[in-house]
Amino acid sequence: MTYFRSHILVCNDPECLEKGSMDILQALKKELSAKGLQDEVQVLDTPRIGNCEQGPEILVYPEGFHYINLKLEQIPHLVEEQFLKGRPVNDLLAPPKKEEAQELGEPTPKEVRVVLRNCGRIDPENIEEYIAEDGYQALAKVLTDYSPDQVIEVVKNSGLRGRGGAGFPTGMKWAITRDSMDDIKFVVCNADEGDPGAFMNRSVLEGDPHSVIEGMIIAAYAICASQGYVYCRAEYPIAVQTLNIAIEQARSYGLLGEHIFGSNFSFDLEVRQGAGAFVCGEETALIASIEGRRGEPRPRPPFPSVRGLFGKPTNINNVETYANVPQIILRGPEWFAGMGTEKSKGTKTFALAGDVKRTGLIEVPFGITLREIIYDVGGGIKDERAFKAVQTGGPMGGCLPADYLDLPVDYEELTRAGSIMGSGGMVVMDEETCMVDIARFFMEFIQGESCGKCVPCRVGTRRMLEILTRICNGEGREGDIELLEELSQEIRQDSLCGLGQGAPNPVVSTLKHFREEYEIHIREKRCPAKVCRALIHYEILPDKCVGCTLCARNCPVNAISGEVKKTHAIDPDICIRCGICKQVCNYDAILVT
């Protein structure tokens, strides 16, 4: 095993990725190799360093240096000074934040890391580093001390529920599959993470793949399966590559294949890639895709636990569910059940996104409130604006207003509030968000991802999207709200799978909590949040315009006229309402009505 004197953690949250953090990672590796330091300094990527607004950013351990706003041309100097000469580059260091009680790179006090315990702390492509963190000890314990029924009992007692969205008790699902009468059974990991902005599964597969593999092997032992599949979307090439490396390493160590740990138990794994269809997150559609058929759901029952992959009993859980299992075995079901609420035990990962200061991947115990997540973990709303809503559960989730900020986050409470847990997407919205436009956005996504197999989803979502688009375009009519409500009820009742049944949720929740916005759009032809382009108007205030020409020079359609040092004007017939003029104006001279 290689021992490194320093580790560099490169932030891989979406905002840092957009700013080129992976280019920084590759540049660091290249420069370290050029200076002969590749065996002394290890480079890893990790979520939630905490300053993505100043990214790309890195942490250096054990020294504790935090570098921000990095550029490719700075890397050679940084490597030479920090790792050759042993002195920090002060100009690139982040200023200390007195208000942060936690150490840089560590979870906030409200967070508890179980699934993410190793992410960013071990090399995911080195099995020995996972083993050094008690990796595969749970598997050894199971194979030497537990019968399959005892394993299932431990998982049942822990209270672990499926983290893919439905929240079905994991131990019960394993027991049903175990009791299904067939000599051939399968274990499947659902890594087809398709929610916009969600990256929980990706981060675990890229940062700690062996925890998922170990959980799947334990599940296979419990249900008496000999073959497993990880179904991962092809848009996650790094996750697929890392997972395949981990599987090969596990085989070479005798942890996959014939007679694992010298026992009579044999099990092997392979990765199957999906083409990115959102509907393949539904388990029967996923099964069809693995079998080489079009990814369409089928009616249930029979459920996959009875008749699944290739017609055989199949246990399907998602990445996060399997990653919890080794820790439950090692620490005991009482430890896991000691976190969370009465019916929702343990922790949950969330992709915290939107108008919040600290976006990224978090892991918190069930029972924490939305307020704690948004303000204590997420740091509050960007630019000190007012909170308006939070959408949980991905495209099929609901939008909850400020009245629900003190709602404890668990499966039952979110469902009662008109939303869902989903796989863990959480989008925060501020006062400048149009809730009608948000409903239209999610309906557009759902409609485009509908497999088209059943009429309520295929046709109903299209009709809803047409109405929402018409309202946002200033063409809403009396009766549109009632028609949306009627369509929502029919689609929920009659759709074949969860995608269609949950499709109306964003519309239903926004109508419930923000009905007035719909009415203003329809009756007053006005967007209160000033988001819907067809319903807003841009003009230049004569008393504030100094004639700097900055707005005119940046207008993409030449809709602004005026001479230097004289008041400018916007032609409403040419203006496309893109908002660039308002962004570049230094004198607050652009009025939006």
Side-chain angles (χ1 to χ4, degrees):
M1 181 175 179
T2 302
Y3 292 92
F4 299 93
R5 63 177 172 89
S6 292
H7 293 76
I8 304 174
L9 305 184
V10 183
C11 183
N12 65 7
D13 278 352
E15 191 170 351
C16 278
L17 287 175
E18 186 178 352
K19 294 176 180 178
S21 62
M22 290 302 99
D23 293 332
I24 295 294
L25 182 146
Q26 294 303 324
L28 284 166
K29 288 184 175 181
K30 182 179 179 180
E31 194 63 29
L32 288 167
S33 179
K35 288 182 166 55
L37 298 173
Q38 67 273 14
D39 294 328
E40 299 181 39
V41 182
Q42 184 183 35
V43 184
L44 300 170
D45 61 309
T46 182
R48 279 199 65 73
I49 288 180
N51 283 75
C52 290
E53 67 276 8
Q54 295 178 299
E57 58 177 336
I58 67 172
L59 287 171
V60 180
Y61 278 109
E63 293 86 346
F65 295 118
H66 180 204
Y67 293 104
I68 59 174
N69 294 320
L70 292 176
K71 297 178 176 59
L72 289 174
E73 58 268 23
Q74 297 169 333
I75 299 304
H77 178 64
L78 174 62
V79 170
E80 180 172 350
E81 291 293 310
Q82 175 72 67
F83 301 105
L84 269 183
K85 299 178 181 178
R87 56 195 186 194
V89 183
N90 293 323
D91 291 344
L92 303 180
L93 285 173
K97 291 192 174 183
K98 296 181 182 180
E99 71 274 12
E100 287 187 3
Q102 76 274 17
E103 181 184 352
L104 285 170
E106 293 297 313
T108 62
K110 298 286 184 178
E111 293 184 71
V112 178
R113 292 191 174 179
V114 178
V115 173
L116 302 178
R117 63 192 179 277
N118 291 329
C119 291
R121 298 189 174 277
I122 66 170
D123 181 356
E125 297 183 2
N126 187 338
I127 190 174
E128 293 185 0
E129 292 198 16
Y130 178 70
I131 292 173
E133 297 293 333
D134 296 331
Y136 291 106
Q137 287 195 22
L139 175 60
K141 184 177 182 179
V142 161
L143 294 182
T144 55
D145 297 341
Y146 291 84
S147 69
D149 288 337
Q150 287 174 323
V151 174
I152 292 174
E153 197 62 28
V154 168
V155 176
K156 281 184 177 179
N157 292 339
S158 73
L160 176 65
R161 297 172 66 170
R163 300 299 197 247
F168 191 82
T170 303
M172 186 180 299
K173 180 182 280 191
W174 289 16
I176 295 171
T177 315
R178 161 93 174 153
D179 294 339
S180 296
M181 302 301 294
D182 204 302
D183 293 335
I184 299 176
K185 295 175 184 176
F186 296 102
V187 170
V188 172
C189 177
N190 183 350
D192 190 62
E193 186 174 52
D195 293 4
F199 50 96
M200 297 80 66
N201 292 350
R202 191 208 78 191
S203 295
V204 176
L205 291 177
E206 291 180 5
D208 191 17
H210 286 285
S211 66
V212 181
I213 294 171
E214 185 176 11
M216 292 185 70
I217 301 172
I218 293 170
Y221 174 76
I223 70 168
C224 299
S226 59
Q227 179 63 42
Y229 298 90
V230 180
Y231 185 84
C232 185
R233 54 181 42 234
E235 291 93 333
Y236 287 175
I238 298 175
V240 171
Q241 175 184 320
T242 305
L243 190 56
N244 277 320
I245 291 172
I247 289 172
E248 286 301 319
Q249 289 178 342
R251 284 199 194 105
S252 68
Y253 275 64
L255 301 168
L256 281 174
E258 299 293 326
H259 305 294
I260 297 173
F261 278 128
S263 68
N264 292 326
F265 172 63
S266 300
F267 177 75
D268 210 345
L269 266 178
E270 65 178 271
V271 178
R272 292 289 178 90
Q273 295 186 53
F278 180 72
V279 72
C280 286
E282 197 278 336
E283 57 185 12
T284 61
L286 180 152
I287 287 171
S289 182
I290 293 179
E291 293 175 347
R293 297 183 288 111
R294 180 172 177 169
E296 292 180 333
R298 62 164 172 79
R300 297 174 301 175
F303 291 92
S305 293
V306 177
R307 194 178 76 195
L309 188 62
F310 305 117
K312 303 296 183 180
T314 304
N315 181 81
I316 303 177
N317 289 121
N318 84 328
V319 168
E320 187 178 347
T321 310
Y322 286 122
N324 272 300
V325 172
Q327 289 296 296
I328 291 172
I329 298 296
L330 281 181
R331 300 193 185 192
E334 298 81 11
W335 161 79
F336 190 82
M339 297 181 286
T341 63
E342 181 182 356
K343 294 184 178 180
S344 299
K345 306 294 186 181
T347 63
K348 181 74 186 76
T349 61
F350 291 97
L352 188 60
D355 301 317
V356 69
K357 291 180 181 177
R358 291 198 293 267
T359 58
L361 190 63
I362 66 172
E363 185 173 2
V364 292
F366 282 114
I368 190 172
T369 65
L370 289 169
R371 186 185 303 276
E372 290 175 295
I373 291 177
I374 294 167
Y375 287 92
D376 295 338
V377 180
I381 308 302
K382 285 181 180 178
D383 303 320
E384 307 307 323
R385 294 192 181 113
F387 169 86
K388 185 169 187 177
V390 59
Q391 199 252 11
T392 71
M396 299 172 294
C399 299
L400 303 176
D403 293 344
Y404 290 83
L405 276 174
D406 294 314
L407 181 79
V409 175
D410 69 11
Y411 289 97
E412 282 71 30
E413 291 291 343
L414 285 177
T415 300
R416 275 194 287 269
S419 187
I420 59 173
M421 181 71 66
S423 60
M426 188 172 288
V427 182
V428 179
M429 291 165 272
D430 67 19
E431 58 190 327
E432 295 187 358
T433 304
C434 173
M435 303 312 295
V436 183
D437 183 63
I438 286 292
R440 182 206 56 77
F441 169 80
F442 283 112
M443 185 56 64
E444 183 176 39
F445 177 85
I446 287 290
Q447 205 285 318
E449 293 293 340
S450 172
C451 74
K453 186 173 184 177
C454 69
V455 172
C457 181
R458 182 181 72 243
V459 180
T461 56
R462 178 167 291 279
R463 294 291 84 83
M464 291 186 73
L465 177 60
E466 289 171 353
I467 296 170
L468 291 167
T469 302
R470 193 170 69 236
I471 294 174
C472 290
N473 287 341
E475 301 167 355
R477 303 190 289 256
E478 289 293 338
D480 278 348
I481 292 176
E482 291 73 19
L483 185 54
L484 283 172
E485 291 174 329
E486 183 180 347
L487 284 168
S488 296
Q489 183 177 358
E490 293 298 328
I491 294 169
R492 275 179 161 180
Q493 291 177 347
D494 301 331
S495 291
L496 177 61
C497 76
L499 183 146
Q501 293 161 9
N505 285 347
V507 178
V508 172
S509 62
T510 51
L511 279 172
K512 177 181 178 181
H513 302 299
F514 304 96
R515 192 183 191 93
E516 183 182 1
E517 283 196 37
Y518 283 84
E519 293 171 344
I520 292 173
H521 277 71
I522 293 171
R523 294 168 185 167
E524 300 180 22
K525 308 301 180 188
R526 180 170 61 87
C527 176
K530 301 173 183 177
V531 170
C532 298
R533 291 189 179 185
L535 300 177
I536 57 177
H537 175 74
Y538 282 80
E539 63 178 293
I540 296 176
L541 299 174
D543 58 329
K544 290 189 175 183
C545 179
V546 299
C548 68
T549 75
L550 193 59
C551 59
R553 285 184 279 124
N554 283 275
C555 180
V557 293
N558 298 318
I560 302 176
S561 59
E563 299 179 15
V564 178
K565 296 185 179 181
K566 292 186 178 180
T567 302
H568 285 48
I570 300 175
D571 187 337
D573 295 328
I574 301 176
C575 177
I576 60 173
R577 304 167 182 85
C578 63
I580 293 177
C581 57
K582 185 173 178 60
Q583 294 172 16
V584 300
C585 180
N586 295 319
Y587 301 95
D588 196 26
I590 309 295
L591 177 66
V592 184
T593 57

